Amino acid sequence: IDDKLLKIPLLIDHWINTNRPGDGDGWHSYTISLRIRNWIWALRIFPEIKNKKILYSIWEQICWLYNHMEDANGGNHYLENLCTLVIGSLQFESKKSIEIYKISLKKLNYELREQILDDGGHEERSASYHILILNRLVEVGLTIKLMKKDVPKNLLVKIEKMLKWAILIRLDSGNYPRFHASTDM
């Protein structure tokens, strides 16, 4: 392993050792969503860094997230939580992981019906949120395909509609409109 890659398990280990469950900013639902997926992909790409401590921490974070989602207002953070729970639950084999997968996928499908409009755009009408959510849904679809072999049709339909909307709003310059919580694109 490259010297820089050797630091990944050290950084993960340090985080685990210094962040008690549910304590501090590191346990904000959105932050956990990003961290869980990043750690999963790190372990998938570099399986030699996988150990019981890291796997236990990922599972602990998934369980914590499952009970502390940002569902009060919906929106892109809630979608982020649900996508992570779908992806994360597929990494484990237990009754609880199957339950988390099924319930999270069901909630994700409901939220997509609510948040993705008939024209394929996200309800917040922000190009940056739209692209972020589209990217996340593709990640979810690919993970389900990898782990379960069959992607739910309704997920594929939403991805296709969102992709068409993303193409439709793209400016002649190749950039996306910058409005409502946009970043430079």
Side-chain angles (χ1 to χ4, degrees), residues 4-26:
K4 292 177 184 173
L5 296 178
L6 288 174
K7 293 179 182 177
I8 293 173
L10 296 175
L11 292 170
I12 291 173
D13 196 54
H14 176 73
W15 189 90
I16 293 168
N17 291 337
T18 58
N19 289 277
R20 292 189 335 261
D23 188 29
D25 289 338

Side-chain angles (χ1 to χ4, degrees), residues 26-41 61-62 64-66 68-70 76-85 87-88 136 139:
W27 287 90
H28 184 274
S29 298
Y30 185 78
T31 305
I32 291 173
S33 295
L34 300 179
R35 183 176 47 253
I36 288 170
R37 286 197 320 277
N38 286 333
W39 286 12
I40 287 169
W41 295 128
Q61 292 175 66
I62 289 169
W64 194 93
L65 178 60
Y66 184 64
H68 297 88
M69 287 185 277
E70 295 183 65
N76 64 314
H77 282 214
Y78 186 45
L79 287 176
E80 197 78 46
N81 298 162
L82 292 169
C83 289
T84 294
L85 289 170
I87 291 169
R136 199 65 64 233
E139 184 181 356

Side-chain angles (χ1 to χ4, degrees), residues 25 37 42 52 54 79 87 123 145 155 162 172 181-182:
D25 289 338
R37 286 197 320 277
K52 287 181 182 181
I54 294 172
L79 287 176
I87 291 169
E123 68 181 351
K145 178 75 172 171
L155 179 60
M162 290 183 75
D172 290 339
S182 283

Side-chain angles (χ1 to χ4, degrees), residues 35-36 45 48 50 52-54 63-65 78 114 118 120 135 146 156 164 169 171:
R35 183 176 47 253
I36 288 170
I45 294 169
E48 61 273 14
K50 186 183 334 183
K52 287 181 182 181
K53 183 177 183 179
I54 294 172
C63 291
W64 194 93
L65 178 60
Y78 186 45
E114 293 293 310
D118 290 340
N135 180 291
L146 177 70
L156 294 174
K164 287 179 182 177
I169 67 160
L171 302 173

